[in-house]
Amino acid sequence: DTGVSQDPRHKITKRGQNVTFRCDPISEHNRLYWYRQTLGQGPEFLTYFQNEAQLEKSRLLSDRFSAERPKGSFSTLEIQRTEQGDSAMYLCASSLGTGVLKRGNEQFFGPGTRLTVL
Amino acid sequence: AQSVTQLGSHVSVSEGALVLLRCNYSSSVPPYLFWYVQYPNQGLQLLLKYTSAATLVKGINGFEAEFKKSETSFHLTKPSAHMSDAAEYFCAVSGNNDMRFGAGTRLTVKP
């Protein structure tokens, strides 16, 4: 399977602990995105990378959140000092960010990591 | 700025009936519009997209959507619902660097 993969699929943690999620995009995709989805809502943009450069961060991404894509391939999203409000599904997506229709290039989503903070 | 609004958080149809899921957009530039489907505990799968070519777009699983600039709409339809269509559906518009999603419409299909 050559789709977007995420690990772990589920994470339960206690408030105040740190957690890290991993995303492996489709190999030829140079753009990688992180979204957060809470119950009953659509995904909300957190941040995106073009190759290894983090080019945009949403105001939803507080100082406790950090994302990296060190070699322009996989990415990690770390949440420090988790809070109950961080409980959500964290989705990763990738796309090709080249060509005339780069705004029209669809994003391919992974299965998500469901975080529960107790 | 780009945004979408999905009308109706829940839609229920009988198997074999027409499916109509509504989406209106707001965009300061010509929009690129998408419909995604999400099954329980899974990521999003692209159904179809509009990128300024034909206004009637056909997608997977028998779905199609029509872009109507005058109504700023991009409604999703399927002539005959199947039980396997039960899922959450999201309309989205492409921003400069991200995808802006609606709140979603949960489709229930009754036997």
Side-chain angles (χ1 to χ4, degrees), chain B residues 12-55:
Chain B
S12 181
V13 300
S14 297
E15 191 173 18
L18 171 72
V19 175
L20 171 60
L21 305 182
R22 300 175 187 273
C23 173
N24 287 90
Y25 70 89
S26 173
S27 179
S28 54
V29 297
Y32 292 118
L33 296 161
F34 304 78
W35 275 100
Y36 282 87
V37 61
Q38 186 177 35
Y39 297 100
N41 298 314
Q42 295 187 26
L44 280 70
Q45 179 184 7
L46 181 71
L47 282 175
L48 49 80
K49 67 177 182 179
Y50 167 77
T51 56
S52 75
T55 56

Short mmCIF file of all heavy atoms in Angstrom, two decimals, chain B residues 12-55:
data_model
loop_
_atom_site.label_atom_id
_atom_site.label_comp_id
_atom_site.label_asym_id
_atom_site.label_seq_id
_atom_site.Cartn_x
_atom_site.Cartn_y
_atom_site.Cartn_z
N SER B 12 -30.97 11.90 5.96
CA SER B 12 -31.39 10.50 5.98
C SER B 12 -32.21 10.22 4.73
O SER B 12 -33.14 10.96 4.41
CB SER B 12 -32.22 10.21 7.23
OG SER B 12 -32.62 8.85 7.26
N VAL B 13 -31.84 9.16 4.02
CA VAL B 13 -32.57 8.77 2.82
C VAL B 13 -32.83 7.28 2.87
O VAL B 13 -32.15 6.54 3.58
CB VAL B 13 -31.80 9.13 1.52
CG1 VAL B 13 -31.54 10.64 1.45
CG2 VAL B 13 -30.50 8.35 1.42
N SER B 14 -33.79 6.84 2.07
CA SER B 14 -34.04 5.41 1.93
C SER B 14 -33.13 4.85 0.84
O SER B 14 -32.73 5.56 -0.09
CB SER B 14 -35.50 5.16 1.57
OG SER B 14 -36.35 5.61 2.60
N GLU B 15 -32.81 3.58 0.98
CA GLU B 15 -32.00 2.93 -0.05
C GLU B 15 -32.71 3.06 -1.40
O GLU B 15 -33.92 2.83 -1.50
CB GLU B 15 -31.81 1.45 0.30
CG GLU B 15 -30.77 0.74 -0.55
CD GLU B 15 -30.49 -0.67 -0.07
OE1 GLU B 15 -31.31 -1.21 0.70
OE2 GLU B 15 -29.43 -1.22 -0.45
N GLY B 16 -31.95 3.46 -2.43
CA GLY B 16 -32.52 3.65 -3.75
C GLY B 16 -33.01 5.06 -4.02
O GLY B 16 -33.29 5.40 -5.18
N ALA B 17 -33.09 5.88 -3.01
CA ALA B 17 -33.56 7.26 -3.18
C ALA B 17 -32.41 8.17 -3.59
O ALA B 17 -31.23 7.84 -3.44
CB ALA B 17 -34.20 7.76 -1.89
N LEU B 18 -32.78 9.37 -4.06
CA LEU B 18 -31.80 10.38 -4.44
C LEU B 18 -31.07 10.91 -3.21
O LEU B 18 -31.67 11.17 -2.17
CB LEU B 18 -32.51 11.54 -5.14
CG LEU B 18 -31.67 12.78 -5.43
CD1 LEU B 18 -30.68 12.50 -6.54
CD2 LEU B 18 -32.56 13.97 -5.78
N VAL B 19 -29.77 11.08 -3.36
CA VAL B 19 -28.96 11.71 -2.32
C VAL B 19 -28.62 13.13 -2.78
O VAL B 19 -28.16 13.32 -3.90
CB VAL B 19 -27.65 10.93 -2.07
CG1 VAL B 19 -26.76 11.68 -1.07
CG2 VAL B 19 -27.95 9.52 -1.57
N LEU B 20 -28.86 14.10 -1.91
CA LEU B 20 -28.49 15.49 -2.19
C LEU B 20 -27.86 16.07 -0.94
O LEU B 20 -28.52 16.21 0.09
CB LEU B 20 -29.71 16.31 -2.59
CG LEU B 20 -29.50 17.84 -2.70
CD1 LEU B 20 -28.45 18.18 -3.75
CD2 LEU B 20 -30.82 18.55 -3.00
N LEU B 21 -26.59 16.40 -1.03
CA LEU B 21 -25.86 17.03 0.07
C LEU B 21 -25.43 18.41 -0.40
O LEU B 21 -24.79 18.54 -1.43
CB LEU B 21 -24.65 16.18 0.48
CG LEU B 21 -24.93 14.73 0.82
CD1 LEU B 21 -23.64 14.02 1.24
CD2 LEU B 21 -25.98 14.61 1.92
N ARG B 22 -25.75 19.42 0.42
CA ARG B 22 -25.60 20.80 -0.02
C ARG B 22 -24.33 21.45 0.49
O ARG B 22 -23.95 21.26 1.66
CB ARG B 22 -26.81 21.63 0.42
CG ARG B 22 -28.13 21.13 -0.14
CD ARG B 22 -29.30 21.92 0.43
NE ARG B 22 -30.58 21.35 0.02
CZ ARG B 22 -31.21 21.65 -1.10
NH1 ARG B 22 -30.68 22.54 -1.93
NH2 ARG B 22 -32.35 21.08 -1.39
N CYS B 23 -23.71 22.24 -0.37
CA CYS B 23 -22.50 22.96 -0.02
C CYS B 23 -22.50 24.30 -0.74
O CYS B 23 -22.71 24.36 -1.95
CB CYS B 23 -21.26 22.16 -0.42
SG CYS B 23 -19.69 23.03 -0.21
N ASN B 24 -22.30 25.36 0.02
CA ASN B 24 -22.12 26.69 -0.56
C ASN B 24 -20.72 27.19 -0.22
O ASN B 24 -20.21 26.93 0.87
CB ASN B 24 -23.19 27.65 -0.04
CG ASN B 24 -24.54 27.38 -0.64
OD1 ASN B 24 -25.31 26.59 -0.11
ND2 ASN B 24 -24.81 27.99 -1.78
N TYR B 25 -20.14 27.92 -1.13
CA TYR B 25 -18.78 28.37 -0.93
C TYR B 25 -18.70 29.89 -0.93
O TYR B 25 -19.58 30.58 -1.44
CB TYR B 25 -17.85 27.79 -2.00
CG TYR B 25 -18.08 28.38 -3.37
CD1 TYR B 25 -17.40 29.52 -3.78
CD2 TYR B 25 -18.98 27.81 -4.26
CE1 TYR B 25 -17.61 30.08 -5.02
CE2 TYR B 25 -19.21 28.36 -5.50
CZ TYR B 25 -18.53 29.49 -5.89
OH TYR B 25 -18.76 30.04 -7.11
N SER B 26 -17.60 30.37 -0.37
CA SER B 26 -17.26 31.78 -0.43
C SER B 26 -15.77 31.85 -0.80
O SER B 26 -14.95 31.20 -0.14
CB SER B 26 -17.51 32.46 0.91
OG SER B 26 -17.02 33.79 0.90
N SER B 27 -15.48 32.60 -1.84
CA SER B 27 -14.08 32.65 -2.27
C SER B 27 -13.81 33.96 -2.99
O SER B 27 -14.61 34.39 -3.82
CB SER B 27 -13.77 31.47 -3.19
OG SER B 27 -12.43 31.51 -3.64
N SER B 28 -12.67 34.54 -2.69
CA SER B 28 -12.29 35.80 -3.33
C SER B 28 -11.58 35.57 -4.66
O SER B 28 -11.32 36.52 -5.39
CB SER B 28 -11.38 36.60 -2.39
OG SER B 28 -10.28 35.80 -1.98
N VAL B 29 -11.27 34.32 -4.95
CA VAL B 29 -10.62 33.94 -6.20
C VAL B 29 -11.41 32.76 -6.78
O VAL B 29 -12.20 32.14 -6.06
CB VAL B 29 -9.14 33.55 -5.99
CG1 VAL B 29 -8.35 34.74 -5.47
CG2 VAL B 29 -9.03 32.37 -5.03
N PRO B 30 -11.22 32.46 -8.05
CA PRO B 30 -11.90 31.28 -8.59
C PRO B 30 -11.60 30.07 -7.73
O PRO B 30 -10.44 29.76 -7.48
CB PRO B 30 -11.29 31.16 -9.99
CG PRO B 30 -10.93 32.56 -10.36
CD PRO B 30 -10.49 33.21 -9.08
N PRO B 31 -12.67 29.41 -7.25
CA PRO B 31 -12.44 28.35 -6.26
C PRO B 31 -12.08 27.01 -6.88
O PRO B 31 -12.48 26.69 -7.99
CB PRO B 31 -13.81 28.25 -5.57
CG PRO B 31 -14.77 28.57 -6.66
CD PRO B 31 -14.09 29.61 -7.53
N TYR B 32 -11.31 26.25 -6.10
CA TYR B 32 -11.16 24.84 -6.38
C TYR B 32 -11.91 24.11 -5.26
O TYR B 32 -11.62 24.33 -4.08
CB TYR B 32 -9.68 24.43 -6.37
CG TYR B 32 -8.91 25.00 -7.52
CD1 TYR B 32 -7.84 25.87 -7.31
CD2 TYR B 32 -9.25 24.70 -8.83
CE1 TYR B 32 -7.12 26.41 -8.37
CE2 TYR B 32 -8.54 25.24 -9.90
CZ TYR B 32 -7.48 26.09 -9.66
OH TYR B 32 -6.78 26.62 -10.70
N LEU B 33 -12.87 23.28 -5.62
CA LEU B 33 -13.79 22.68 -4.65
C LEU B 33 -13.67 21.16 -4.66
O LEU B 33 -13.44 20.56 -5.71
CB LEU B 33 -15.22 23.11 -4.98
CG LEU B 33 -15.48 24.61 -4.84
CD1 LEU B 33 -16.73 25.00 -5.60
CD2 LEU B 33 -15.59 25.01 -3.38
N PHE B 34 -13.89 20.59 -3.50
CA PHE B 34 -13.70 19.15 -3.31
C PHE B 34 -14.84 18.60 -2.46
O PHE B 34 -15.38 19.28 -1.61
CB PHE B 34 -12.38 18.87 -2.59
CG PHE B 34 -11.16 19.44 -3.26
CD1 PHE B 34 -10.84 20.79 -3.13
CD2 PHE B 34 -10.32 18.64 -4.01
CE1 PHE B 34 -9.72 21.33 -3.75
CE2 PHE B 34 -9.19 19.16 -4.62
CZ PHE B 34 -8.90 20.51 -4.49
N TRP B 35 -15.15 17.33 -2.71
CA TRP B 35 -15.97 16.56 -1.80
C TRP B 35 -15.16 15.34 -1.35
O TRP B 35 -14.60 14.62 -2.17
CB TRP B 35 -17.26 16.08 -2.45
CG TRP B 35 -18.37 17.07 -2.41
CD1 TRP B 35 -18.77 17.91 -3.41
CD2 TRP B 35 -19.26 17.32 -1.32
NE1 TRP B 35 -19.85 18.67 -3.01
CE2 TRP B 35 -20.17 18.32 -1.72
CE3 TRP B 35 -19.40 16.78 -0.03
CZ2 TRP B 35 -21.19 18.80 -0.90
CZ3 TRP B 35 -20.40 17.26 0.78
CH2 TRP B 35 -21.28 18.26 0.35
N TYR B 36 -15.12 15.16 -0.02
CA TYR B 36 -14.46 14.01 0.58
C TYR B 36 -15.48 13.20 1.36
O TYR B 36 -16.46 13.75 1.88
CB TYR B 36 -13.36 14.45 1.56
CG TYR B 36 -12.07 14.91 0.92
CD1 TYR B 36 -11.89 16.23 0.52
CD2 TYR B 36 -11.00 14.03 0.76
CE1 TYR B 36 -10.70 16.66 -0.03
CE2 TYR B 36 -9.79 14.45 0.21
CZ TYR B 36 -9.66 15.76 -0.18
OH TYR B 36 -8.46 16.18 -0.72
N VAL B 37 -15.23 11.90 1.49
CA VAL B 37 -16.06 11.03 2.32
C VAL B 37 -15.18 10.44 3.43
O VAL B 37 -14.00 10.17 3.21
CB VAL B 37 -16.73 9.91 1.49
CG1 VAL B 37 -15.69 9.01 0.83
CG2 VAL B 37 -17.67 9.07 2.35
N GLN B 38 -15.78 10.30 4.60
CA GLN B 38 -15.05 9.71 5.73
C GLN B 38 -15.90 8.62 6.37
O GLN B 38 -17.01 8.90 6.84
CB GLN B 38 -14.70 10.78 6.77
CG GLN B 38 -13.82 10.27 7.90
CD GLN B 38 -13.43 11.37 8.88
OE1 GLN B 38 -14.20 12.28 9.14
NE2 GLN B 38 -12.21 11.29 9.42
N TYR B 39 -15.37 7.42 6.37
CA TYR B 39 -16.02 6.30 7.05
C TYR B 39 -15.52 6.26 8.48
O TYR B 39 -14.43 6.78 8.78
CB TYR B 39 -15.75 5.00 6.30
CG TYR B 39 -16.33 5.01 4.91
CD1 TYR B 39 -15.53 5.26 3.80
CD2 TYR B 39 -17.69 4.79 4.69
CE1 TYR B 39 -16.05 5.31 2.53
CE2 TYR B 39 -18.23 4.83 3.41
CZ TYR B 39 -17.41 5.09 2.34
OH TYR B 39 -17.93 5.14 1.08
N PRO B 40 -16.26 5.64 9.39
CA PRO B 40 -15.88 5.64 10.81
C PRO B 40 -14.44 5.21 11.03
O PRO B 40 -13.99 4.21 10.47
CB PRO B 40 -16.88 4.67 11.43
CG PRO B 40 -18.07 4.75 10.55
CD PRO B 40 -17.54 4.94 9.16
N ASN B 41 -13.74 5.99 11.84
CA ASN B 41 -12.36 5.70 12.24
C ASN B 41 -11.40 5.59 11.05
O ASN B 41 -10.39 4.87 11.13
CB ASN B 41 -12.31 4.41 13.06
CG ASN B 41 -13.10 4.53 14.35
OD1 ASN B 41 -12.98 5.54 15.05
ND2 ASN B 41 -13.94 3.57 14.63
N GLN B 42 -11.72 6.30 9.99
CA GLN B 42 -10.82 6.32 8.84
C GLN B 42 -10.52 7.75 8.43
O GLN B 42 -11.16 8.70 8.89
CB GLN B 42 -11.44 5.56 7.67
CG GLN B 42 -11.62 4.08 7.92
CD GLN B 42 -12.08 3.35 6.67
OE1 GLN B 42 -11.84 3.78 5.55
NE2 GLN B 42 -12.74 2.22 6.87
N GLY B 43 -9.53 7.88 7.57
CA GLY B 43 -9.22 9.20 7.03
C GLY B 43 -10.21 9.58 5.94
O GLY B 43 -11.22 8.91 5.73
N LEU B 44 -9.93 10.67 5.26
CA LEU B 44 -10.82 11.18 4.23
C LEU B 44 -10.42 10.65 2.86
O LEU B 44 -9.23 10.58 2.53
CB LEU B 44 -10.78 12.72 4.21
CG LEU B 44 -11.60 13.45 5.27
CD1 LEU B 44 -11.01 13.28 6.65
CD2 LEU B 44 -11.71 14.92 4.92
N GLN B 45 -11.42 10.33 2.06
CA GLN B 45 -11.19 9.83 0.72
C GLN B 45 -11.83 10.80 -0.27
O GLN B 45 -12.99 11.19 -0.09
CB GLN B 45 -11.79 8.43 0.56
CG GLN B 45 -11.62 7.84 -0.83
CD GLN B 45 -12.30 6.49 -0.98
OE1 GLN B 45 -13.02 6.04 -0.09
NE2 GLN B 45 -12.08 5.83 -2.09
N LEU B 46 -11.10 11.16 -1.31
CA LEU B 46 -11.63 12.09 -2.29
C LEU B 46 -12.71 11.44 -3.13
O LEU B 46 -12.52 10.36 -3.68
CB LEU B 46 -10.50 12.58 -3.20
CG LEU B 46 -10.92 13.60 -4.26
CD1 LEU B 46 -11.25 14.95 -3.61
CD2 LEU B 46 -9.84 13.78 -5.31
N LEU B 47 -13.87 12.13 -3.22
CA LEU B 47 -14.95 11.68 -4.10
C LEU B 47 -14.83 12.34 -5.48
O LEU B 47 -14.97 11.68 -6.50
CB LEU B 47 -16.30 12.06 -3.51
CG LEU B 47 -16.86 11.21 -2.39
CD1 LEU B 47 -18.15 11.83 -1.87
CD2 LEU B 47 -17.10 9.78 -2.83
N LEU B 48 -14.62 13.66 -5.47
CA LEU B 48 -14.51 14.39 -6.73
C LEU B 48 -13.97 15.78 -6.44
O LEU B 48 -13.93 16.22 -5.29
CB LEU B 48 -15.87 14.48 -7.42
CG LEU B 48 -17.08 14.93 -6.62
CD1 LEU B 48 -17.13 16.44 -6.47
CD2 LEU B 48 -18.37 14.43 -7.25
N LYS B 49 -13.56 16.47 -7.54
CA LYS B 49 -13.07 17.83 -7.38
C LYS B 49 -13.43 18.67 -8.59
O LYS B 49 -13.57 18.16 -9.70
CB LYS B 49 -11.56 17.84 -7.17
CG LYS B 49 -10.74 17.38 -8.38
CD LYS B 49 -9.25 17.51 -8.09
CE LYS B 49 -8.41 17.09 -9.30
NZ LYS B 49 -6.96 17.23 -9.03
N TYR B 50 -13.59 19.96 -8.36
CA TYR B 50 -13.83 20.94 -9.40
C TYR B 50 -12.63 21.86 -9.47
O TYR B 50 -12.25 22.48 -8.48
CB TYR B 50 -15.10 21.75 -9.10
CG TYR B 50 -15.22 22.96 -9.98
CD1 TYR B 50 -15.64 22.84 -11.30
CD2 TYR B 50 -14.89 24.23 -9.51
CE1 TYR B 50 -15.73 23.95 -12.12
CE2 TYR B 50 -14.98 25.33 -10.31
CZ TYR B 50 -15.38 25.19 -11.63
OH TYR B 50 -15.46 26.29 -12.43
N THR B 51 -12.05 21.96 -10.68
CA THR B 51 -10.88 22.82 -10.85
C THR B 51 -11.03 23.71 -12.07
O THR B 51 -10.08 23.91 -12.83
CB THR B 51 -9.59 21.99 -10.95
OG1 THR B 51 -9.75 21.05 -12.03
CG2 THR B 51 -9.31 21.24 -9.67
N SER B 52 -12.21 24.25 -12.28
CA SER B 52 -12.53 25.24 -13.31
C SER B 52 -12.63 24.66 -14.71
O SER B 52 -12.58 25.40 -15.67
CB SER B 52 -11.54 26.41 -13.29
OG SER B 52 -10.29 26.03 -13.84
N ALA B 53 -12.76 23.38 -14.83
CA ALA B 53 -13.00 22.78 -16.15
C ALA B 53 -14.53 22.63 -16.29
O ALA B 53 -15.26 23.58 -16.16
CB ALA B 53 -12.27 21.46 -16.28
N ALA B 54 -15.02 21.42 -16.52
CA ALA B 54 -16.45 21.21 -16.66
C ALA B 54 -17.17 21.51 -15.35
O ALA B 54 -16.68 21.19 -14.27
CB ALA B 54 -16.72 19.76 -17.07
N THR B 55 -18.33 22.12 -15.44
CA THR B 55 -19.07 22.47 -14.23
C THR B 55 -19.76 21.27 -13.60
O THR B 55 -20.05 21.29 -12.41
CB THR B 55 -20.12 23.55 -14.52
OG1 THR B 55 -20.98 23.08 -15.56
CG2 THR B 55 -19.46 24.84 -14.96
#
